[in-house]
Amino acid sequence: MHGLMQDWPLTVDKILDHAKRWHGSREVVTRSVEGPIVRTTWGEIHTRAKRLSNALLGLGIQPGDRVATLAWNSGRHIEVWYAIMGIGAVCHTLNPRLFADQLCYIINHAADRIIITDETFLPVLMERRHEMPTVEHFIVLTDPDRVAKCGMEGALSSETLIESHSPDCTWGGFDEQTACGLCYTSGTTGHPKGVLYSHRSNFLHTLVTLQSDYMGLSVRDTVLAVVPMFHANAWGLAFTGAAVGTKMVMPGAKMDGASIHELLETEQVTFSAAVPTVWQMLLAHLRATNGQLTSLKRVVIGGSAVPEAIIRAFHDDYGVEVVHAWGMTETSPLGTMSTPTPEIAALSFDEQIAYKLKQGRPPVGSDIRLVDDAGNVLPHDGKVFGRLQIRGGYIVREYYKGDGGEILDADGYFDTGDVATIDPTGYMQITDRAKDVIKSGGEWISSIEIENIAAGHPKALIAAVIGVAHPKWDERPLLLVRLKDGETATAEEFLGFLDGKIAKWWMPDAVMFVDEIPLGATGKIDKKLIRQQMADYRLPTS
Ligand code: ADP
């Protein structure tokens, strides 16, 4: 017997409809690519998105067609997302930090028909245009006079298109399982693979992440969306912000410490979210300028493990709560968050740190478990390392065009490629990516744990640990450190700092001081590249 409740397809256009109707005057503020701060509202974004939908229909876009964006976080970029999704087309977010070859691969794989771009990215698009045969139009997110001067033949101005089309456009009316977003994983191994979100999965993810133990956004929040809209669905912020009508602040192209600090203060931001490297830059800027944070209350940090030094600096120096999150493009992306339970909240701050360093627990709507290489389910004892698996209504079932084949196991779980522990309180902790874990004498060493402690050394700016081949132990850890400007240090200082904080047999066999630790397209340490660079390196112990 079916229930007798209304069938109201969960399509994301309803989220922006809601924002217009109930939070229409709430502001969306952008540091524009052109330079000035630009202010609009959820109401205006809705109207302009509808006009843009008509423009896209006029250019021949049909349901299911892929329309790509190559753009910074801005009010205009939000309009574009909803304009594409509202008419049943698929918004394909391109990551400008990818190599041009990878961008071309992705554009061709997705067969994008239109690319909507910021001026910033015109050089790469112009240079590679001939390698994108499926792309019929380029729309530049700026005024017509700037487009006329940009040098790209045939490029269209988003402002001209918006002004010349009616806001009268019907959105939705299709099945909630319809595809609406396409985001490729960064391809740290092999070609990037496409994760194809549906309206339903994004709608569910919005409701789930809005729970107070997760993103917990409210109409009283002012959100600085630092996590790029081209990275893992912007952690859902373009949907959750609209859903509860937060004031949104979009940083455009400038993500350095000074620019972020300026927006946090001038717009009185209460909540923000980004990867650790962004916060490291902000904290360095605050220290150097004796800056203060007068409104910020909470930052969600994820994408890579949060070093203890960041959690403590935010708490001790600025009174800001850090919530650690884990997720991936394949999980829409929120997987777990480490908001304290009442028992953990009752502990002293120092005692809570052990939990804050963990990635936390899953919200209702998905579930996680650990398995060994043979697929046996492992206990939640906080000690056993296992492969982290996840399933749920907003978790990938299959990559776009079937790449990578069958990716679920017999129980319907997706293998995340991460290695983790889960403790008796249910807190999951990522110990490594499966390909980064260091296998020493048949046991596993967590590279993440060592590098996070090393990064807390007062002289360290950033640290990375990789496994290096060893004749006796298979692999042993090598610690690479980039020191803060003007500092000098010895290997012994760092080994002494680690002593007592990690097991003896986890101690790195060598410490190297380097000028640069390479970061990948999503701001994470690029260990694949480090391993390539260190291919000829031999440990002194081998
Ligand atoms: P990629 O980094 O490959 O571009 P994603 O952004 O989807 O793609 O990254 C997902 C991966 O990032 C996870 O599988 C995990 O390895 C890592 N990750 C995400 N959040 C955390 C975290 N809080 N701690 C440690 N690792 C994390």
PDB file of all heavy atoms in Angstrom, residues 33 119 150 232 276 290 363 442 460-461 466 468 483 500 517 527:
ATOM      1  N   VAL A  33      35.017  39.591 -10.057  1.00  0.00           N
ATOM      2  CA  VAL A  33      36.267  39.358 -10.783  1.00  0.00           C
ATOM      3  C   VAL A  33      36.786  40.691 -11.314  1.00  0.00           C
ATOM      4  O   VAL A  33      37.993  40.932 -11.376  1.00  0.00           O
ATOM      5  CB  VAL A  33      36.011  38.349 -11.929  1.00  0.00           C
ATOM      6  CG1 VAL A  33      37.231  38.204 -12.811  1.00  0.00           C
ATOM      7  CG2 VAL A  33      35.607  37.001 -11.339  1.00  0.00           C
ATOM      8  N   GLU A 119      36.227  35.882 -16.984  1.00  0.00           N
ATOM      9  CA  GLU A 119      37.272  36.414 -17.873  1.00  0.00           C
ATOM     10  C   GLU A 119      38.630  35.779 -17.604  1.00  0.00           C
ATOM     11  O   GLU A 119      39.414  35.542 -18.520  1.00  0.00           O
ATOM     12  CB  GLU A 119      37.429  37.925 -17.642  1.00  0.00           C
ATOM     13  CG  GLU A 119      36.352  38.771 -18.217  1.00  0.00           C
ATOM     14  CD  GLU A 119      36.571  40.210 -17.792  1.00  0.00           C
ATOM     15  OE1 GLU A 119      37.385  40.897 -18.428  1.00  0.00           O
ATOM     16  OE2 GLU A 119      35.943  40.645 -16.813  1.00  0.00           O
ATOM     17  N   CYS A 150      37.728  41.245 -25.045  1.00  0.00           N
ATOM     18  CA  CYS A 150      38.448  40.087 -24.496  1.00  0.00           C
ATOM     19  C   CYS A 150      39.202  39.294 -25.558  1.00  0.00           C
ATOM     20  O   CYS A 150      40.056  38.476 -25.227  1.00  0.00           O
ATOM     21  CB  CYS A 150      37.498  39.166 -23.733  1.00  0.00           C
ATOM     22  SG  CYS A 150      36.484  38.141 -24.810  1.00  0.00           S
ATOM     23  N   ALA A 232      33.789  19.658  -5.543  1.00  0.00           N
ATOM     24  CA  ALA A 232      32.876  18.791  -4.796  1.00  0.00           C
ATOM     25  C   ALA A 232      31.564  19.483  -4.432  1.00  0.00           C
ATOM     26  O   ALA A 232      31.179  19.542  -3.258  1.00  0.00           O
ATOM     27  CB  ALA A 232      33.559  18.261  -3.543  1.00  0.00           C
ATOM     28  N   PRO A 276      42.017  23.031   4.712  1.00  0.00           N
ATOM     29  CA  PRO A 276      42.952  23.585   5.701  1.00  0.00           C
ATOM     30  C   PRO A 276      43.905  24.644   5.156  1.00  0.00           C
ATOM     31  O   PRO A 276      44.208  25.612   5.850  1.00  0.00           O
ATOM     32  CB  PRO A 276      43.727  22.348   6.176  1.00  0.00           C
ATOM     33  CG  PRO A 276      42.820  21.200   5.930  1.00  0.00           C
ATOM     34  CD  PRO A 276      42.020  21.552   4.721  1.00  0.00           C
ATOM     35  N   ASN A 290      48.275  41.249  13.370  1.00  0.00           N
ATOM     36  CA  ASN A 290      47.555  41.380  14.633  1.00  0.00           C
ATOM     37  C   ASN A 290      46.054  41.569  14.385  1.00  0.00           C
ATOM     38  O   ASN A 290      45.372  42.320  15.086  1.00  0.00           O
ATOM     39  CB  ASN A 290      48.133  42.551  15.440  1.00  0.00           C
ATOM     40  CG  ASN A 290      47.854  42.374  16.910  1.00  0.00           C
ATOM     41  OD1 ASN A 290      47.461  41.279  17.323  1.00  0.00           O
ATOM     42  ND2 ASN A 290      48.017  43.431  17.689  1.00  0.00           N
ATOM     43  N   PRO A 363      25.606  11.617   9.241  1.00  0.00           N
ATOM     44  CA  PRO A 363      24.232  12.036   9.526  1.00  0.00           C
ATOM     45  C   PRO A 363      23.232  10.980   9.037  1.00  0.00           C
ATOM     46  O   PRO A 363      23.596  10.114   8.232  1.00  0.00           O
ATOM     47  CB  PRO A 363      24.080  13.306   8.694  1.00  0.00           C
ATOM     48  CG  PRO A 363      25.020  13.126   7.546  1.00  0.00           C
ATOM     49  CD  PRO A 363      26.152  12.276   8.044  1.00  0.00           C
ATOM     50  N   GLY A 442      54.544  -5.239   7.283  1.00  0.00           N
ATOM     51  CA  GLY A 442      53.213  -5.855   7.341  1.00  0.00           C
ATOM     52  C   GLY A 442      52.200  -5.042   8.126  1.00  0.00           C
ATOM     53  O   GLY A 442      51.012  -5.353   8.141  1.00  0.00           O
ATOM     54  N   ALA A 460      57.383  24.902  11.542  1.00  0.00           N
ATOM     55  CA  ALA A 460      56.894  24.282  10.304  1.00  0.00           C
ATOM     56  C   ALA A 460      55.765  25.089   9.685  1.00  0.00           C
ATOM     57  O   ALA A 460      54.883  25.571  10.384  1.00  0.00           O
ATOM     58  CB  ALA A 460      56.401  22.870  10.588  1.00  0.00           C
ATOM     59  N   LEU A 461      55.807  25.223   8.358  1.00  0.00           N
ATOM     60  CA  LEU A 461      54.676  25.824   7.643  1.00  0.00           C
ATOM     61  C   LEU A 461      53.746  24.700   7.181  1.00  0.00           C
ATOM     62  O   LEU A 461      52.541  24.757   7.343  1.00  0.00           O
ATOM     63  CB  LEU A 461      55.187  26.637   6.453  1.00  0.00           C
ATOM     64  CG  LEU A 461      54.128  27.420   5.692  1.00  0.00           C
ATOM     65  CD1 LEU A 461      53.579  28.538   6.571  1.00  0.00           C
ATOM     66  CD2 LEU A 461      54.712  28.016   4.423  1.00  0.00           C
ATOM     67  N   ILE A 466      55.669  10.581   3.209  1.00  0.00           N
ATOM     68  CA  ILE A 466      55.431   9.542   2.192  1.00  0.00           C
ATOM     69  C   ILE A 466      56.190   8.275   2.583  1.00  0.00           C
ATOM     70  O   ILE A 466      57.137   8.339   3.365  1.00  0.00           O
ATOM     71  CB  ILE A 466      55.872   9.971   0.772  1.00  0.00           C
ATOM     72  CG1 ILE A 466      57.359  10.365   0.750  1.00  0.00           C
ATOM     73  CG2 ILE A 466      55.005  11.095   0.236  1.00  0.00           C
ATOM     74  CD1 ILE A 466      57.948  10.407  -0.651  1.00  0.00           C
ATOM     75  N   VAL A 468      58.754   5.379   1.611  1.00  0.00           N
ATOM     76  CA  VAL A 468      59.854   5.167   0.664  1.00  0.00           C
ATOM     77  C   VAL A 468      60.292   3.712   0.786  1.00  0.00           C
ATOM     78  O   VAL A 468      60.345   3.164   1.901  1.00  0.00           O
ATOM     79  CB  VAL A 468      61.036   6.115   0.996  1.00  0.00           C
ATOM     80  CG1 VAL A 468      62.215   5.839   0.067  1.00  0.00           C
ATOM     81  CG2 VAL A 468      60.611   7.568   0.884  1.00  0.00           C
ATOM     82  N   LEU A 483      59.695  24.871   6.035  1.00  0.00           N
ATOM     83  CA  LEU A 483      59.758  25.722   7.225  1.00  0.00           C
ATOM     84  C   LEU A 483      59.115  27.071   6.937  1.00  0.00           C
ATOM     85  O   LEU A 483      59.010  27.495   5.781  1.00  0.00           O
ATOM     86  CB  LEU A 483      61.219  25.926   7.633  1.00  0.00           C
ATOM     87  CG  LEU A 483      61.950  24.663   8.105  1.00  0.00           C
ATOM     88  CD1 LEU A 483      63.440  24.937   8.244  1.00  0.00           C
ATOM     89  CD2 LEU A 483      61.387  24.161   9.436  1.00  0.00           C
ATOM     90  N   GLY A 500      57.379  10.404  21.500  1.00  0.00           N
ATOM     91  CA  GLY A 500      56.356  10.328  22.546  1.00  0.00           C
ATOM     92  C   GLY A 500      54.952  10.614  22.028  1.00  0.00           C
ATOM     93  O   GLY A 500      53.970  10.338  22.700  1.00  0.00           O
ATOM     94  N   ILE A 517      56.099  22.304  -0.960  1.00  0.00           N
ATOM     95  CA  ILE A 517      55.368  21.031  -0.914  1.00  0.00           C
ATOM     96  C   ILE A 517      54.245  21.197  -1.919  1.00  0.00           C
ATOM     97  O   ILE A 517      53.391  22.079  -1.759  1.00  0.00           O
ATOM     98  CB  ILE A 517      54.854  20.748   0.506  1.00  0.00           C
ATOM     99  CG1 ILE A 517      56.088  20.506   1.389  1.00  0.00           C
ATOM    100  CG2 ILE A 517      53.852  19.601   0.515  1.00  0.00           C
ATOM    101  CD1 ILE A 517      55.958  19.614   2.554  1.00  0.00           C
ATOM    102  N   LYS A 527      50.650  14.041  -3.099  1.00  0.00           N
ATOM    103  CA  LYS A 527      51.637  13.018  -2.739  1.00  0.00           C
ATOM    104  C   LYS A 527      52.098  12.206  -3.934  1.00  0.00           C
ATOM    105  O   LYS A 527      53.210  11.687  -3.939  1.00  0.00           O
ATOM    106  CB  LYS A 527      51.051  12.086  -1.676  1.00  0.00           C
ATOM    107  CG  LYS A 527      50.768  12.820  -0.393  1.00  0.00           C
ATOM    108  CD  LYS A 527      50.961  11.940   0.803  1.00  0.00           C
ATOM    109  CE  LYS A 527      50.547  12.709   2.021  1.00  0.00           C
ATOM    110  NZ  LYS A 527      50.197  11.859   3.134  1.00  0.00           N
TER     111      LYS A 527
END
